[in-house]
Amino acid sequence: MRVPRIPLPPTDGIGSPYTGWTRAHWEAVADHLLEAVVPFATPDFAQIRLPGRTGRAGLESDGLEGFARTFLLAACRIGGIKRAGDAATGEVEDRLLERYARGLAAGTDPGHRHAWPQISDCSQQLVEAASIAVALHETRPWLFDRLDPAVRERVVGWLAGVIGKRTRNSNWALFPVVIEQFLASVGGPHAPEDIEGGLDRIEQWYAGDGWYTDGDGQSFDYYAGWAMHLYPLLWARMSGDEDRGALYRERLRLFLSGYQHFFAADGAPIHQGRSLCYRFAAVSPLWLGELSGAGPLPPGRTRRIASGALRHFVERGVPDSRGLLSLGWYDRFLPSTQAYSGPASPYWASKAFLGLLLPPDHPVWTAREEGAPIDEDDQVVALPAPGWILHGTRHDGVVRLLNHGSDRARHQSPDGMDDPHYSRIAYSTHTAPETGEEARRRAVDGHVAVHDRDGAVSRRRYIQRIGVFDRFAASAYEDELPSGPVRVETASVVRGPWEVRISRVTASAGTTVRDGGHSLAHESRPTARSGDAWSLVTRPDGLGSAMVALHGYQTAGVARAASANAFGPCSAAPCLSAPDHPGGTTIHASLAVLTGDRLDPAALAESVRAEVDGDQVTVRFPDGERVEVTLGERPAYARHPADAAEAVHWPG
């Protein structure tokens, strides 16, 4: 943990017993971020050209992105205070209003040297225009309404370039919705069919229980919260539409009831999906619940989870020594970013500050912090819509996600390799998948793979769902290797920090089946040990990752990597192998463990037992609980508690 570089106010252990953070901490971080970008702004403030890798859209677009995304942060900083009429802090807000007013005037002037590129089909400008429209709406009485009439006309004209433009088949469909709604609110040109069309379009991506996929297929990740919920409810806030607004609020309520479990006790979000450089933007749907009146959580719990996430990153060196958000997680780490990401892309993290739009006397700021679910007890949450199971443990504060439903298959890499941020079985708040080129090629961590003698590895590109229920989730994938076709069906059964992983593997003779656990990363090399039936990796903070063979695996080992993990330069994953596959179908069972407890994998190998009878595997836990899992043509799951309580079955 690093010493925060931000001048923070004193902590409040009475009102915020879990994090110590208050609204003043959020304001301090926002102010620090906003001041740090000033040296990189053009003199007219039309563009903010941050250092780093240029985005795919080019320098001018990157400069616009820097303006738009920090403008959204400034709007959050301004809105709540101005609405509350707190004149004592007016100097900060007035300085921000002056800066961004200058930028609006210059950026929308076609003759200016730093004029913004015009909006075109599927252009990055379309994305940034949405942030500008939201920021203008939230600051309208103090900014847009006070602009020179000619500047207002130019701003409206530039935003109106969105009308009729094509968007990508994803959350992008919502950008014209908020842009054109703002235009409608100020009497500007707009096309009602664009607004209705965008809102209608996302209905095909609603998967139930509050979850959206980001476009066609199974693209479940943080975009469900920071885009698919965010923009429809911000649109409802702009338009006042009560019918659609009620629908979106109810969906957000459902979403947040499960989403509150995505954060570790130390505030870390689960590391899964794309655009992870937005970091604490993951808390934006929590604030949105309070902002829209849709929050199912006590306000003190909302603040505890959100403040915990922001504090988590600040204490680990985010923003960096320059006060900037880098392309990475804690530090700059390009392998976990997307090709389109530019140096200002991380400032979508501004969405995390939506809570500042709520006035200081709102209950979310005044109520005493209440514990998150992970603070109270161990948690197991089945989420059938995205195909996930979450299991968190109170004693170490770790939350793990088992993925049997999100693959983002329609965006597969042109090199034929899978995307480790979607294709792995297991993710967590304390680990990241291996994303370096060599590590991606080997695909060890969090993956049940078949590999040929020439090194070809089967890929989990397209996930075929089997089921999610109780403490069970299962899926399958198919691939083609030089040696022949492969089919791998995998079931996960969770108990505390354990995942019992059962796989039914169909492959050619002579291939090898390999099963990998969580990869641990650190500044220094993690410690690794292996036995005949287990492999263990530990790091200095006490976190351990182990794989224990229960059935079908003959050897254990460790896969090491360098500069491949967002959590640190040195990483290692425990793994198990079954060489010389006989051909046909075989059954394999392992115990994957990620825990802050002291780990004795040899003892686990003795105390957790697996019995195989055809396609059925019976797992017996030390306290007598019994779980039966069947894969193949008629998959099934049954759990028989040790206390003789009624068994649970799937299918029911």
Side-chain angles (χ1 to χ4, degrees):
M1 196 170 298
R2 307 172 190 174
V3 177
R5 304 180 178 101
I6 302 170
L8 295 172
T11 56
D12 177 4
I14 303 300
S16 300
Y18 290 92
T19 70
W21 277 39
T22 64
R23 182 187 176 99
H25 289 80
W26 283 84
E27 292 174 339
V29 175
D31 292 346
H32 188 75
L33 289 169
L34 288 166
E35 289 305 310
V37 301
V38 173
F40 303 97
T42 55
D44 43 62
F45 221 79
Q47 296 185 29
I48 297 176
R49 297 178 172 180
L50 298 172
R53 182 189 71 185
T54 303
R56 190 165 58 192
L59 180 62
E60 296 295 320
S61 178
D62 286 347
L64 167 61
E65 190 171 52
F67 175 90
R69 299 190 180 198
T70 60
F71 184 26
L72 182 59
L73 175 56
C76 294
R77 182 69 176 90
I78 293 163
I81 293 295
K82 286 292 187 181
R83 285 194 177 89
D86 189 345
T89 56
E91 182 182 345
V92 172
E93 291 75 39
D94 290 344
R95 183 167 65 248
L96 293 173
L97 288 167
E98 189 274 331
R99 282 179 192 163
Y100 286 93
R102 282 196 293 123
L104 289 164
T108 58
D109 181 354
H112 198 283
R113 60 179 299 204
H114 296 132
W116 300 334
Q118 294 299 304
I119 299 172
S120 57
D121 288 340
C122 297
S123 65
Q124 189 64 34
Q125 296 88 270
L126 201 152
V127 183
E128 307 317 321
S131 290
I132 291 172
V134 171
L136 286 171
H137 173 78
E138 296 298 341
T139 59
R140 180 177 170 182
W142 315 286
L143 182 52
F144 183 82
D145 289 350
R146 297 183 182 182
L147 291 174
D148 182 274
V151 175
R152 283 205 304 270
E153 186 175 338
R154 291 205 306 269
V155 170
V156 166
W158 185 81
L159 290 173
V162 73
I163 298 172
K165 296 299 189 295
R166 288 187 298 109
T167 71
R168 302 189 188 281
N169 197 36
S170 66
N171 66 89
W172 282 47
L174 293 168
F175 299 145
V177 171
V178 292
I179 297 166
E180 294 190 45
Q181 188 59 53
F182 172 73
L183 289 170
S185 72
V186 297
H190 62 284
E193 62 271 21
D194 284 356
I195 297 173
E196 291 294 317
L199 295 173
D200 289 344
R201 199 165 162 193
I202 69 169
E203 291 304 308
Q204 63 187 302
W205 303 326
Y206 184 65
D209 297 330
W211 280 90
Y212 292 89
T213 173
D214 183 19
D216 296 334
Q218 302 181 127
S219 296
F220 295 99
D221 53 28
Y222 285 110
Y223 276 85
W226 67 37
M228 306 304 290
H229 279 292
L230 185 75
Y231 291 109
L233 278 164
L234 290 180
W235 166 81
R237 181 173 164 89
M238 289 181 180
S239 68
D241 188 304
E242 282 301 320
D243 292 336
R244 283 195 190 259
L247 172 66
Y248 299 143
R249 286 191 293 273
E250 178 55 28
R251 288 179 178 176
L252 181 61
R253 285 189 190 96
L254 292 171
F255 175 78
L256 290 176
S257 65
Y259 190 69
Q260 63 179 312
H261 298 275
F262 274 69
F263 300 86
D266 69 1
I270 288 173
H271 194 93
Q272 179 273 341
R274 68 189 177 100
S275 299
L276 291 171
C277 65
Y278 303 159
R279 299 175 174 97
F280 35 82
V283 307
S284 59
L286 294 163
W287 293 123
L288 185 65
E290 296 294 332
L291 199 64
S292 64
L297 313 182
R301 178 179 294 179
T302 293
R303 189 173 83 253
R304 181 266 179 271
I305 298 173
S307 291
L310 183 60
R311 189 189 69 169
H312 176 85
F313 285 101
V314 168
E315 289 181 342
R316 287 158 181 79
V318 180
D320 64 19
S321 58
R322 302 164 297 176
L324 303 181
L325 298 177
S326 63
L327 285 167
W329 188 244
Y330 300 134
D331 300 301
R332 185 175 185 267
F333 185 72
L334 295 181
S336 67
T337 63
Q338 282 63 53
Y340 54 75
S341 299
S345 294
Y347 285 81
W348 242 26
S350 298
K351 295 178 178 183
F353 294 84
L354 286 173
L356 292 180
L357 289 172
L358 296 164
D361 61 356
H362 189 279
V364 80
W365 293 118
T366 60
R368 192 170 189 263
E369 277 187 351
E370 294 188 32
I374 193 68
D375 297 320
E376 308 298 331
D377 204 351
D378 290 359
Q379 304 290 322
V380 177
V381 181
L383 298 171
W388 291 340
I389 279 192
L390 301 174
H391 60 122
T393 41
R394 180 178 180 271
H395 63 278
D396 56 14
V398 179
V399 179
R400 308 150 194 87
L401 182 152
L402 298 177
N403 172 34
H404 290 274
S406 181
D407 55 23
R408 204 166 182 255
R410 67 188 184 92
H411 294 280
Q412 289 299 328
S413 171
D415 61 11
M417 289 196 286
D418 49 348
D419 184 340
H421 289 103
Y422 292 90
S423 60
R424 299 298 180 253
I425 293 172
Y427 299 92
S428 86
T429 53
H430 286 59
T431 61
E434 303 280 50
T435 49
E437 184 175 348
E438 174 62 19
R440 285 184 65 210
R441 187 188 67 77
R442 292 184 299 165
V444 175
D445 62 296
H447 182 40
V448 179
V450 175
H451 59 92
D452 281 340
R453 287 172 179 167
D454 65 359
V457 178
S458 63
R459 306 283 171 176
R460 193 178 183 236
R461 299 182 188 90
Y462 303 94
I463 295 175
Q464 303 168 15
R465 298 182 179 208
I466 293 175
V468 176
F469 174 74
D470 186 50
R471 294 182 352 213
F472 160 87
S475 62
Y477 76 90
E478 296 176 351
D479 202 0
E480 189 77 29
L481 294 180
S483 61
V486 169
R487 177 175 173 84
V488 178
E489 302 164 39
T490 300
S492 299
V493 177
V494 302
R495 180 184 165 104
W498 301 345
E499 174 207 352
V500 175
R501 192 178 294 172
I502 299 165
S503 295
R504 183 177 186 269
V505 180
T506 303
S508 301
T511 55
T512 294
V513 180
R514 186 182 61 210
D515 190 0
H518 289 272
S519 177
L520 292 190
H522 196 259
E523 296 295 321
S524 58
R525 190 173 181 176
T527 302
R529 295 187 292 124
S530 293
D532 292 337
W534 55 267
S535 179
L536 169 66
V537 177
T538 57
R539 68 186 191 194
D541 64 357
L543 191 68
S545 174
M547 291 295 293
V548 179
L550 301 180
H551 180 83
Y553 294 107
Q554 289 84 47
T555 62
V558 173
R560 295 189 180 275
S563 302
N565 196 293
F567 278 57
C570 302
S571 55
C575 56
L576 306 169
S577 294
D580 297 321
H581 193 280
T585 300
T586 54
I587 299 293
H588 305 262
S590 64
L591 183 65
V593 185
L594 177 70
T595 181
D597 281 346
R598 179 180 175 274
L599 260 174
D600 186 345
L604 287 175
E606 292 296 323
S607 59
V608 180
R609 314 299 295 173
E611 303 162 2
V612 178
D613 181 9
D615 285 336
Q616 179 177 291
V617 178
T618 300
V619 180
R620 300 181 187 277
F621 293 105
D623 68 349
E625 183 176 58
R626 186 175 86 254
V627 172
E628 298 164 352
V629 172
T630 304
L631 294 173
E633 291 185 8
R634 302 183 66 180
Y637 159 80
R639 180 167 61 85
H640 304 269
D643 60 4
E646 185 176 352
V648 294
H649 296 267
W650 176 88

